[in-house]
Amino acid sequence: MIVRPRPNWLRMLVVRRGSLLLQILPQLLVIFAVSIGVVTFHGELLNRKITLTAVPFSLVGVALAIFLGFRNSASYDRYWEARKLWGKLLTDGRNAARQYVSFTREDPRAFVQGLAAFVHATRHQLRNTDPWPDLRRLLPPELLPRLVERRTPALQILMWLAERLRDDREAGRIEPILAAELDRSLGGLNDALGGCERIAYTPLPFTYSVILHRTVYIYCLMLPFGLLDAIGVMTPLMVTFVAYTFFAIEALSDEIEEPFGTMPNDLALNAMAITIEAALLEMLGERNLPPKPQPVNCFLD
């Protein structure tokens, strides 16, 4: 996630980091070179003049902008829903920790650290990274063999937390009605995990992306022939500007479509997981908390 102060209006025009310009620069150079070629040869291709007017490009451009906006909205909906689900992990995790610390006469440290381990395991599952350094750091050693070669260690941790809650209720260390409230908080964590899995494992339809991608490139490659007779030598600049708009929107949609990745505009899962862990440990009265995440080159992972 890009984290930086908002530049003034003048610097905003030339800012590069976070603008997607470097990602789409090769495509823009190709479009610019093609436009220069069209102007140089006066719109002729194989000794034949390609005659196109601006009217069809105006009609197709409006429709294309609407479809690009729709795809961008669909991608942003996935991004924002993912952020809300991680907010739910924070609130339900804090609720479960608060209730266990307040309602039970058992040492709450293992349970609260298990909640933090669940959050880290969720992060690693969504990013397909190695969870073991965090799991060994937070979980009791006797639980670790249970997580070996499991596809969803986060779910196994949640099962272990539910079993501890059951044992506390049966041993009389917590009242049944209070155990039901705690179980409701654990259910909220499971709902958040399931929602994240739904987003991560169900991408937008690939065919839809292919059709939109092809249309954008064909439109930008043919646009110089439609503008040449109207604006002459300014055709390369105008075509490149239009291409920048379309390519940038498409590239941004591709980035935020998978919000759990590691692209600059994806969610900062590492920072959020560490923040949740610090909040949970602080409820135990812990003073030695994980360091607060700091952005590196305006990028928070």
Side-chain angles (χ1 to χ4, degrees):
M1 179 182 292
I2 297 173
V3 181
R4 62 179 303 174
R6 183 179 178 85
N8 60 47
W9 69 272
L10 183 59
R11 190 176 180 186
M12 185 73 81
L13 293 175
V14 297
V15 68
R16 289 181 301 171
R17 184 177 293 129
S19 66
L20 297 174
L21 181 60
L22 296 180
Q23 290 93 314
I24 63 175
L25 185 59
Q27 298 96 302
L28 292 179
L29 292 177
V30 170
I31 296 298
F32 186 72
V34 170
S35 300
I36 292 178
V38 171
V39 173
T40 302
F41 294 101
H42 304 287
E44 292 185 1
L45 184 63
L46 300 178
N47 296 322
R48 297 191 62 180
K49 173 71 172 178
I50 306 297
T51 303
L52 293 174
T53 66
V55 175
F57 291 99
S58 299
L59 297 176
V60 175
V62 171
L64 186 57
I66 293 174
F67 283 120
L68 277 173
F70 173 78
R71 184 173 188 273
N72 187 61
S73 297
S75 298
Y76 185 78
D77 284 343
R78 293 165 57 85
Y79 175 90
W80 186 240
E81 184 181 1
R83 181 62 187 90
K84 290 192 292 184
L85 289 170
W86 270 79
K88 184 175 177 61
L89 284 176
L90 170 63
T91 56
D92 286 343
R94 288 193 301 197
N95 275 336
R98 174 185 56 82
Q99 290 164 344
Y100 195 85
V101 170
S102 303
F103 296 161
T104 67
R105 294 179 290 273
E106 185 75 4
D107 183 7
R109 180 168 297 275
F111 188 91
V112 174
Q113 288 184 339
L115 293 172
F118 170 82
V119 173
H120 283 288
T122 299
R123 167 175 63 91
H124 288 294
Q125 178 179 328
L126 296 174
R127 286 190 167 177
N128 197 27
T129 52
D130 182 18
W132 283 103
D134 288 312
L135 299 186
R136 292 191 185 97
R137 178 172 57 87
L138 292 168
L139 293 175
E142 62 271 15
L143 176 61
L144 297 178
R146 178 172 171 178
L147 306 179
V148 175
E149 296 182 356
R150 295 290 183 142
R151 291 186 180 182
T152 55
L155 188 58
Q156 298 301 315
I157 295 172
L158 198 62
M159 287 291 297
W160 175 73
L161 293 172
E163 291 168 3
R164 282 186 61 94
L165 181 60
R166 178 200 61 197
D167 294 341
D168 290 339
R169 179 177 56 82
E170 292 178 350
R173 292 188 291 266
I174 184 173
E175 297 295 330
I177 189 171
L178 299 179
E181 287 296 322
L182 254 169
D183 186 69
R184 188 173 293 109
S185 297
L186 296 181
L189 294 176
N190 183 60
D191 291 342
L193 172 61
C196 290
E197 290 174 328
R198 170 169 48 82
I199 294 174
Y201 305 145
T202 311
L204 291 176
F206 178 71
T207 304
Y208 179 77
S209 300
V210 169
I211 293 173
L212 193 55
H213 183 80
R214 288 174 178 172
T215 305
V216 166
Y217 277 81
I218 293 174
Y219 178 90
C220 292
L221 288 172
M222 295 181 64
L223 186 58
F225 296 98
L227 296 183
L228 175 62
D229 293 335
I231 60 177
V233 296
M234 291 296 294
T235 297
L237 292 179
M238 290 305 301
V239 171
T240 304
F241 176 72
V242 173
Y244 168 75
T245 303
F246 285 161
F247 292 165
I249 293 176
E250 185 189 26
L252 177 60
S253 299
D254 286 339
E255 277 198 13
I256 64 176
E257 177 187 347
E258 303 294 339
F260 305 121
T262 56
M263 299 296 287
N265 289 291
D266 289 331
L267 292 175
L269 296 191
N270 289 344
M272 287 192 286
I274 292 173
T275 300
I276 295 174
E277 178 188 349
L280 296 177
L281 295 180
E282 201 168 28
M283 299 177 74
L284 293 173
E286 183 71 43
R287 296 290 183 180
N288 187 22
L289 302 177
K292 185 177 180 180
Q294 298 294 332
V296 178
N297 293 328
C298 302
F299 178 71
L300 190 63
D301 186 17

